[in-house]
Amino acid sequence: MNRRLIIRGLAATAAATMAGSSTRADERRTYDAPPERAADFVGRIGVNVHLAQKGTVYDRYYESSILRAIEDLSIKQIRQGVYTPAPGVTDTLYTRMRELARLGCRFSAVCNDPSDQYVTTPPPHCR
């Protein structure tokens, strides 16, 4: 892509942003919602993991790195894909999820819909 075109686009974006922020204080939009406390927000931040994908970093380094990082960073919200059961994979997944739950982690599970492959397709080893 042409570098000049990119720089021109960035300059236009910066100019538009500055023009929007230069409105007078009395014209700015006000919000009635009270501000959120930082301590309340921190518990909502999480990570997306792949705890049972064989042959990946999550598989090879779970105990030595992944688990330690989750503990060290005090992560409390985890998003995990849960697919069609496969021998060995499901046991590993649920064992690790139970271990993290004992540490106080909560999970958002992303599941596939076997009737609609366009929504999400399970990995080849789970089909």
Side-chain angles (χ1 to χ4, degrees):
M1 186 165 224
N2 186 338
R3 291 178 71 179
R4 286 185 181 175
L5 182 63
I6 293 171
I7 292 172
R8 213 177 301 150
L10 291 172
T13 302
T17 302
M18 291 306 295
S21 66
S22 65
T23 58
R24 294 187 343 215
D26 58 330
E27 294 176 354
R28 290 187 187 143
R29 198 183 281 175
T30 58
Y31 298 94
D32 294 332
E36 300 249 359
R37 294 180 5 170
D40 295 336
F41 180 70
V42 170
R44 297 179 192 171
I45 299 171
V47 295
N48 187 41
V49 296
H50 307 280
L51 296 175
Q53 285 188 336
K54 297 292 182 190
T56 65
V57 172
Y58 292 99
D59 183 40
R60 288 191 296 267
Y61 302 107
Y62 174 75
E63 286 84 11
S64 64
S65 297
I66 304 300
L67 181 59
R68 282 190 191 157
I70 290 171
E71 288 180 292
D72 291 346
L73 296 170
S74 299
I75 293 170
K76 297 299 179 194
Q77 184 65 40
I78 296 176
R79 182 174 183 248
Q80 169 66 47
V82 180
Y83 297 100
T84 308
V89 174
T90 307
D91 295 337
T92 300
L93 173 63
Y94 293 137
T95 299
R96 291 176 177 177
M97 287 177 78
R98 282 191 293 274
E99 182 177 19
L100 291 167
R102 282 192 292 274
L103 296 175
C105 294
R106 296 178 307 271
F107 289 87
S108 297
V110 180
C111 303
N112 70 310
D113 179 359
S115 67
D116 188 351
Q117 293 294 312
Y118 295 104
V119 174
T120 179
T121 304
H125 69 275
C126 292
R127 290 186 202 156

